[in-house]
Amino acid sequence: LIVAVLPGSIAAGALSYLFLTDNGAAARGKLQKKAKKKAREIVAEVVSKKTGVSKKAVKAVANHVAK
């Protein structure tokens, strides 16, 4: 029972911090920016490998489309 409750309470505490505090909102913003940047990197790499277009060109197009 403790094995099930402990991870749940840790997750609940982390989510409470992220969504109920001002510092959490700032942390969420940073996490979102990092996640978007990483997603763009992954997509650019996959598209570059599949199409043969340079990664730099794919990134430029992706950044233009994403705005």
Side-chain angles (χ1 to χ4, degrees):
L1 179 64
I2 293 174
V3 174
V5 172
L6 185 61
S9 62
I10 291 172
L15 289 173
S16 297
Y17 172 76
L18 287 174
F19 288 98
L20 298 178
T21 65
D22 290 334
N23 289 337
R28 266 196 343 265
K30 289 178 184 178
L31 287 172
Q32 286 175 339
K33 286 180 184 178
K34 287 181 181 181
K36 285 181 182 181
K37 184 177 179 181
K38 186 65 176 173
R40 285 187 186 132
E41 288 281 330
I42 292 170
V43 169
E45 188 173 331
V46 170
V47 171
S48 178
K49 284 183 181 179
K50 295 292 182 181
T51 62
V53 177
S54 74
K55 191 174 177 181
K56 185 176 179 180
V58 173
K59 279 185 180 181
V61 171
N63 286 336
H64 180 71
V65 171
K67 289 182 181 183

